[in-house]
């Protein structure tokens, strides 16, 4: 077997977890760098993790501030309880682990020790949704659904490296607990082309379109923008609204965008890197129904199922969240007039 064959095989392994398209600009460890910069300005910032500093970019903070870094080992419940205790003493803990571990293993400790007391703990969790090929044990396809029902907890799903860098100081200023879906490693840079700056708690229109509007969060805003560009070449104009904060939802912006879509007979599409059950799409649908706004509505999301292991490009195509899968699905919906 020659080296070129070996290289091709390796790029399809489950180890490859990059969500950046070929040639797309990226920035390395935006969360870690932003937290280090914040900690230089604020002595109350501390970092804790459950044996995953390297894999959540918290190692940069640990290197810069070893006296303010706490390695709790593989004990997520202890991690959350320790963070709660430090918050009670006036610190602002940034806690990192994988999203599946926070949502499934540590839920009760987050609820009782942090959320019920409305403590100032910021939980940043890597591998949200389908951003790893390691299968159901690591794919947090249900984390938003699990956490949406927890009172006091803000949920944020940033799109790219630039937004992560802006979210970190914003959530440090926010009074109360926050759960952030974290993109780590080499994170795509997308929103700089759209004159975008994160506004805490707000959804923002990135582009307009007369045929449909996509309301999305996280990496699906990146995919929505890519799909909109491809569809434009086919004469289909699709708008994109980025909603990084899933709870509390920016209902005013969502209702305004959906109301405009209704009057213009545009299709409203939600797109999320999460199960179709219990995430952004259902939150938006419920908001629209409660306010009597009923445009044509469709969801792009992961299925309500345990997903396969494998290479991310293959899995994204298979489960309908790749750019090309979105283009195909949206084209079909518009052609059928659904």
């Amino acid at each position: 077997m020659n080296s070129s064959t070996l290289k091709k095989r390796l790029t399809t392994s489950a180890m490859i977890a990059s969500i950046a398209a070929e040639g797309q600009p990226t920035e390395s460890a935006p969360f870690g760098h932003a937290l280090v910069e914040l900690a230089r300005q604020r002595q109350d910032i501390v970092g804790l993790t459950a044996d995953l500093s390297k894999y959540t970019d918290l190692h940069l903070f640990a290197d810069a501030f070893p006296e303010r870094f706490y390695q709790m080992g593989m004990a997520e419940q202890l991690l959350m309880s320790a963070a709660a205790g430090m918050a009670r003493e006036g610190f602002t803990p940034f806690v990192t682990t994988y999203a599946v571990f926070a949502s499934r293993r540590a839920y009760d400790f987050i609820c009782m020790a942090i959320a019920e007391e409305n403590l100032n703990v910021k939980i940043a969790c890597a591998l949200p949704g389908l951003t790893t090929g390691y299968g159901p044990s690591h794919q947090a396809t249900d984390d938003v659904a699990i956490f949406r029902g927890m009172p006091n907890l803000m949920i944020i799903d940033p799109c790219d490296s630039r937004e992560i860098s802006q979210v970190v100081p914003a959530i440090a200023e926010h009074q109360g607990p926050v759960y952030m879906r974290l993109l780590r490693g080499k994170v795509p840079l997308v929103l700089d082309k759209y004159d975008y700056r994160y506004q805490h708690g707000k959804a923002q229109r990135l582009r307009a379109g007369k045929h449909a509007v996509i309301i999305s969060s996280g990496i699906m805003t990146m995919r929505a923008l890519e799909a909109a560009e491809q569809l434009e070449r086919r004469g289909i104009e699709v708008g994109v609204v980025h909603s990084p904060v899933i709870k509390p939802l920016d209902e005013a912006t969502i209702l305004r965008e959906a109301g405009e879509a209704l009057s213009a007979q545009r299709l409203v599409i939600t797109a999320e890197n999460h199960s179709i059950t219990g995430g952004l799409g259902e939150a938006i649908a419920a908001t629209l129904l409660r306010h009597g706004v009923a445009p044509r509505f469709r969801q792009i999301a992961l299925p309500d199922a345990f997903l396969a292991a494998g290479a991310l490009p293959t899995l994204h195509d298979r489960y309908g969240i790749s750019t090309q899968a979105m283009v195909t699905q949206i084209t079909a919906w518009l052609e059928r007039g659904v």
Side-chain angles (χ1 to χ4, degrees):
M1 181 181 297
N2 60 42
S3 59
S4 62
T5 303
L6 179 61
K7 184 177 180 181
K8 184 176 181 180
R9 177 173 293 179
L10 286 174
T11 60
T12 61
S13 86
M15 286 291 291
I16 304 302
S18 175
I19 56 172
E22 187 174 353
Q24 186 174 44
T26 61
E27 293 181 335
S28 181
F31 170 75
H33 287 296
L35 191 59
V36 167
E37 181 60 30
L38 179 66
R40 290 195 178 107
Q41 304 167 30
R42 292 181 46 168
Q43 294 299 313
D44 62 305
I45 302 297
V46 294
L48 301 86
T49 192
D51 203 31
L52 286 171
S53 60
K54 181 179 178 181
Y55 301 101
T56 58
D57 294 340
L58 194 64
H59 67 289
L60 298 176
F61 179 90
D63 292 341
F65 301 99
E67 74 284 0
R68 291 155 66 181
F69 169 73
Y70 300 89
Q71 173 57 268
M72 306 306 294
M74 297 175 67
E76 289 79 9
Q77 297 94 334
L78 175 62
L79 171 70
M80 299 303 172
S81 299
M86 298 189 80
R88 285 184 175 277
E89 295 301 316
F91 294 97
T92 303
F94 276 75
V95 177
T96 73
T97 183
Y98 286 163
V100 286
F101 301 155
S103 58
R104 298 176 190 171
R105 293 182 184 176
Y107 177 91
D108 189 46
F109 291 79
I110 295 171
C111 186
M112 294 290 99
I114 297 173
E116 184 180 5
E117 302 300 323
N118 203 29
L119 296 178
N120 222 18
V121 178
K122 319 305 173 182
I123 304 167
C125 292
L127 305 188
L130 188 52
T131 54
T132 174
Y134 276 133
S137 66
H138 284 64
Q139 294 163 347
T141 58
D142 54 358
D143 58 326
V144 174
I146 289 170
F147 280 132
R148 270 185 61 216
M150 187 180 291
N152 294 333
L153 184 67
M154 174 176 275
I155 302 173
I156 303 179
D157 191 16
C159 169
D160 74 342
S161 59
R162 187 66 54 87
E163 186 165 42
I164 290 171
S165 298
Q166 295 169 0
V167 165
V168 168
I171 64 176
E173 290 295 327
H174 174 81
Q175 294 302 303
V178 176
Y179 173 74
M180 181 175 77
R181 303 181 99 204
L182 176 63
L183 304 174
R184 47 94 170 179
K186 293 183 178 180
V187 180
L189 178 61
V190 178
L191 297 177
D192 59 316
K193 299 178 182 178
Y194 297 89
D195 194 29
Y196 174 89
R197 184 166 185 82
Y198 175 76
Q199 298 178 34
H200 198 52
K202 299 295 184 181
Q204 298 180 55
R205 179 190 291 180
L206 301 179
R207 60 179 292 161
K210 67 180 182 181
H211 297 114
V213 59
I214 303 171
I215 305 173
S216 53
S217 68
I219 67 168
M220 294 309 291
T221 293
M222 174 179 68
R223 295 286 163 78
L225 291 166
E226 292 168 349
E229 290 178 0
Q230 290 192 28
L231 289 164
E232 187 175 30
R233 293 193 285 269
R234 303 182 184 186
I236 300 173
E237 297 181 22
V238 175
V240 177
V241 175
H242 178 45
S243 180
V245 179
I246 298 174
K247 184 184 178 184
L249 197 65
D250 180 2
E251 293 191 349
T253 299
I254 299 300
L255 290 168
R256 183 177 66 250
E257 292 287 342
E260 291 179 9
L262 178 60
S263 62
Q265 297 185 323
R266 288 183 295 167
L267 178 64
V268 173
I269 303 163
T270 61
E272 59 191 308
N273 173 35
H274 184 272
S275 167
I276 198 167
T277 301
L280 176 68
E282 287 195 352
I284 290 174
T287 296
L288 298 182
L289 285 174
R290 281 197 298 266
H291 289 84
V293 179
R296 291 185 295 148
F297 180 87
R298 290 292 182 270
Q299 289 177 263
I300 292 174
L302 298 170
D304 180 18
F306 293 111
L307 308 185
L312 284 183
T314 301
L315 296 176
H316 285 190
D317 278 335
R318 176 175 177 177
Y319 293 117
I321 66 168
S322 68
T323 300
Q324 191 53 54
M326 290 182 69
V327 168
T328 300
Q329 183 64 83
I330 293 169
T331 301
W333 281 333
L334 292 174
E335 287 178 347
R336 296 199 305 266
V338 298

